[in-house]
Amino acid sequence: MDTRNQNAAVGMTASDDTQEIDLGELFGAIWARKKFVILLTLVGAALAFLITTTFIKPTYRSGFTAYVNNHSLYSSSSVDTINSSDTSASQNLVQTYAAIMKSRPVVEDAVKEAALPYSYREVSGCISTDIQSDIQLVVLNVTMKSPEEAKQLADAIADTAPDYIADIVEGSSMKIVAKPVLPDSKYSPSVKKNTVIGALIGLLLAVAVVVISELTDDRVKSADELEKKFGIPVIGTIPSLDQVGKEKGSYGYYQK
């Protein structure tokens, strides 16, 4: 084997071991198949919209805001000026109040008061609290499939929790700042948000399909690509015999 053949063999081996990724070619492949990408994006959005509006039942949220006080409502000290130590003590009680409002005894009594046909286990996951310790507030929310039932349970907890808290945490009280209201719009799901997410998933899937197809395609499509890939100059090309003779003025043979 002469020196030129040895160099060519070494060049081919090196190119086989290392695969370079041309981002420009990938973007070009994506743009060339833009109809496929747009189609899959629209399909993802349509599927997400259909699933959200057809198979996911909407939920509604109602709740109340309570103020945490480290004085009893019936204590004479409650009318005095609140000092910094009172504020600090109330802030420390916020998490305790939130836990009591979600506790089993409070929720079970609230369900009975609201005359709802549910057990504690069925509604415990529907109740959530948002603790705002810096301003001594606790927000309790009830999220259910019925807006009326969500408000009824939130009202019942707001009526039941203060008595439990006064009995458990001596010398403290809770005042309702904002009472529950009947929700006039659904809390979840968000049709717009889910549709956008579905469109993004479809877009990413389409791009992934194009990129994987481009990276796994080892065919040489042009003389320039052959020279670029192996570093060997192309002396000449052989035209396809299927196309020879089909064009006017060309030479060759073809089957009739």
Side-chain angles (χ1 to χ4, degrees), residues 38-130:
I38 294 174
L39 177 61
L40 207 56
T41 302
L42 294 177
V43 169
L47 286 176
F49 177 83
L50 181 63
I51 293 173
T52 302
T53 56
T54 305
F55 299 102
I56 301 179
K57 294 183 178 180
T59 58
Y60 300 86
R61 169 169 287 190
S62 181
F64 63 88
T65 303
Y67 173 75
V68 175
N69 190 358
N70 69 325
H71 289 299
S72 171
L73 294 175
Y74 306 103
S75 174
S76 59
S77 61
S78 62
V79 298
D80 297 335
T81 303
I82 299 177
N83 53 41
S84 59
S85 61
D86 294 331
T87 302
S88 177
S90 298
Q91 291 175 348
N92 293 331
L93 285 173
V94 171
Q95 294 185 356
T96 303
Y97 279 41
I100 294 174
M101 286 191 290
K102 293 174 57 179
S103 64
R104 189 182 191 114
V106 174
V107 174
E108 287 181 341
D109 283 356
V111 169
K112 292 179 181 179
E113 181 179 329
L116 296 175
Y118 302 114
S119 64
Y120 168 76
R121 182 174 298 179
E122 291 174 322
V123 299
S124 59
C126 303
I127 303 170
S128 61
T129 55
D130 181 16

